Amino acid sequence: MTITMAIPDSVNGINGDHLKPKVLVPEKLSPDGLALLRKSIDVEERKGLSAEDLLELISDYDALIVRSETKVTASLLAAGKKLKVVARAGVGVDNVDVEAATKLGIIVVNSPSGNIGAAAEHTIALLLATARNVPDACASLKAGKWERSRLVGVEVKGKTLGVIGFGKGRPTSLYPLVAECINSPVGITVARLAIGLGMHVQALDPYASPAVASSHNVSLVSSLPDLLAVSDFLTIHTPLIASTKGMISAKELQSMKKGARILNVARGGMIDEAALLDALDSGHIAGAGIDVWSTEPPEHDSAATKLIGHPKVVATPHLGASTVEAQENVSIDVCEQVLSILGGDLPRSAVNAPLILPDEYKKLQPFVRLVEKMGSLYTQHYSKPRRHHAQETRTTFDLIYEGSLATLTTTTPLFAALVKGLTAAITTPASTNVNIVNADLIARARGL
């Protein structure tokens, strides 16, 4: 059965509560972003918290801002009864349980562009350092040695750089702004810098635009074996997901050119560290520049620890985004997004929410409260048993838009408002918040 709700072209909206929200920052964050928050929000910096401490405290906060060290687990999210947003000051969100956050209606945001330049430059730094044996030469000279013949390197000009994860393609997710997709914007920046050094660049990315690749003088290949076979240097710029975990193992390393070098400034766990160690020991792989590790910091006597001590490895402690400029950029970016979300607006880089253009959202805002009230009134009216009438249960609702609303590309906030209104009267105050993040899940669970 269908109930039709016609919405007029204009209606005055009502804003929600005006309580001053609280934000927890358990890791070091650039003060520039925090200064923005402190103008209107209570900010508490609590560094050095254990997982148990965080679990105990989180219920008091409306937002949580983390970097890469804090593990935002499903249990932590469930304990955050007031949490509206988790902000990751950086690109990767593998330390955040995004699925659990989505179910709870908690928006997860990141900063996909704030540290692109820093990560790309660090990749090139490792590339050159491995090519010219810079760390080994430095240590040798400081030890009083003069080993010019032992430290002969290779030029990168004319060599082929293979890039896994090129960028500038269509997204891999339902949500257009998910940054953890394979088409990393870092990859395209690395390619541009490498071409400036006279390198040839080939890339693997099933979502990359051939036109964009061609405009950057980059050749796209269709498979990983094809890329490995031609690469003198290989660099990885993908997220750590099920399909990329362990993607470079013994088989892939052996299929590379003898004397090739490999770089990783993306995420630990994509290269089999034990297999890389064997390939370096055998001499098949001439060198590696590694910034990220399967466990950080690496465990004692692990393959990662042995790689760090290997003479053919240039190792750094996850410094890809560690520049003053990058830290300022990501701090300001995520703090601005936290302010937007807590103020009732939408973020620009939500990992688990659909893309809604700011101008369109402004047009939708006045109608959101109206639609929520319509849904709530319907549930309250029809959920009460009425004398002499059989109780009817409707599961299908149509929203018909007229006027300017009919021209918008998305009306997701109105759908979320309707679901919230329909379910609010039959839930408790402690129940899951309904919003654009989880409205579809809630609707399906309720049979709507």
Side-chain angles (χ1 to χ4, degrees):
M1 187 176 295
T2 300
I3 180 170
T4 300
M5 298 179 180
I7 301 176
D9 190 31
S10 63
V11 68
N12 291 325
I14 301 174
N15 291 326
D17 92 282
H18 298 281
L19 296 176
K20 195 171 184 181
K22 293 175 64 177
V23 177
L24 178 61
V25 184
E27 299 182 60
K28 183 179 179 181
L29 204 66
S30 173
D32 303 84
L34 296 179
L36 292 175
L37 291 178
R38 287 195 171 99
K39 293 178 181 178
S40 56
I41 291 176
D42 287 333
V43 179
E44 292 190 16
E45 295 181 79
R46 302 284 296 272
K47 302 179 184 67
L49 292 175
S50 66
E52 293 75 19
D53 293 335
L54 196 56
L55 194 63
E56 185 176 342
L57 293 170
I58 196 63
S59 61
D60 291 334
Y61 297 93
D62 301 273
L64 174 66
I65 303 178
V66 302
R67 292 180 64 188
S68 58
E69 292 182 9
T70 303
K71 305 302 180 186
V72 186
T73 62
S75 58
L76 180 64
L77 291 165
K81 301 300 183 183
K82 296 170 60 180
L83 272 183
K84 298 177 180 64
V85 54
V86 172
R88 162 70 168 95
V91 179
V93 291
D94 43 283
N95 59 318
V96 179
D97 192 328
V98 178
E99 183 178 354
T102 301
K103 290 178 180 178
L104 293 169
I106 300 170
I107 299 177
V108 178
V109 300
N110 66 349
S111 179
S113 60
N115 57 15
I116 290 174
E121 288 181 6
H122 197 65
T123 302
I124 296 298
L126 292 181
L127 183 150
L128 293 172
T130 58
R132 299 303 297 270
N133 303 309
V134 172
D136 191 5
C138 181
S140 172
L141 189 59
K142 288 184 176 182
K145 301 176 183 179
W146 191 263
E147 301 179 291
R148 294 181 64 196
S149 59
R150 183 179 73 82
L151 296 167
V152 173
V154 297
E155 294 184 17
V156 301
K157 182 180 179 181
K159 301 296 193 302
T160 296
L161 173 66
V163 180
I164 302 177
F166 179 64
K168 299 296 184 182
R170 67 180 179 84
T172 64
S173 167
L174 171 68
Y175 302 126
L177 284 181
V178 173
E180 284 292 276
C181 55
I182 193 170
N183 53 343
S184 163
V186 177
I188 196 169
T189 307
V190 169
R192 187 182 301 119
L193 295 173
I195 289 171
L197 292 171
M199 301 186 78
H200 306 296
V201 179
Q202 297 200 24
L204 171 66
D205 191 329
Y207 306 100
S209 162
V212 171
S214 178
S215 69
H216 286 80
N217 296 314
V218 173
S219 301
L220 293 177
V221 299
S222 58
S223 69
L224 182 58
D226 289 343
L227 185 67
L228 298 177
V230 299
S231 298
D232 298 296
F233 293 82
L234 180 72
T235 181
I236 304 173
H237 299 287
T238 69
L240 178 62
I241 54 178
S243 60
T244 62
K245 186 174 183 179
M247 68 186 300
I248 305 296
S249 61
K251 177 184 176 181
E252 286 73 26
L253 291 167
Q254 286 302 312
S255 69
M256 295 180 70
K257 293 180 179 181
K258 181 176 176 58
R261 291 165 173 82
I262 189 167
L263 313 165
N264 188 8
V265 185
R267 278 292 178 269
M270 289 185 286
I271 299 175
D272 184 326
E273 291 165 342
L276 178 57
L277 192 63
D278 290 340
L280 290 166
D281 286 339
S282 71
H284 186 76
I285 297 297
I290 309 295
D291 182 52
V292 288
W293 312 89
S294 56
T295 301
E296 297 182 357
E299 297 174 354
H300 176 69
D301 204 34
S302 64
T305 300
K306 293 175 182 177
L307 278 176
I308 291 169
H310 200 285
K312 296 179 181 178
V313 174
V314 180
T316 52
H318 204 147
L319 297 179
S322 293
T323 65
V324 172
E325 295 85 355
Q327 295 305 307
E328 290 176 350
N329 290 340
V330 298
S331 174
I332 292 171
D333 188 8
V334 297
C335 288
E336 286 178 345
Q337 293 189 74
V338 168
L339 280 173
S340 294
I341 295 168
L342 296 182
D345 294 325
L346 292 177
R348 54 178 166 264
S349 299
V351 172
N352 61 343
L355 171 63
I356 301 175
L357 299 176
D359 288 344
E360 293 197 347
Y361 187 65
K362 287 180 181 178
K363 293 179 181 178
L364 289 167
Q365 275 185 315
F367 301 93
V368 169
R369 187 64 173 165
L370 170 67
V371 175
E372 182 181 337
K373 287 292 187 184
M374 293 168 72
S376 179
L377 285 170
Y378 172 82
T379 300
Q380 292 178 60
H381 180 68
Y382 283 98
S383 63
K384 296 178 181 178
R386 291 182 293 167
R387 190 177 300 176
H388 307 307
H389 293 277
Q391 188 171 350
E392 298 181 20
T393 301
R394 292 188 173 93
T395 58
T396 304
F397 300 84
D398 292 338
L399 285 172
I400 298 177
Y401 309 107
E402 298 177 357
S404 60
L405 285 179
T407 66
L408 302 182
T409 58
T410 181
T411 53
T412 302
L414 299 186
F415 167 74
L418 177 60
V419 174
K420 183 174 183 178
L422 289 170
T423 59
I426 52 176
T427 57
T428 66
S431 297
T432 299
N433 179 45
V434 181
N435 55 27
I436 60 171
V437 173
N438 64 353
D440 187 61
L441 294 174
I442 298 295
R444 291 176 185 275
R446 297 282 183 181
L448 299 176

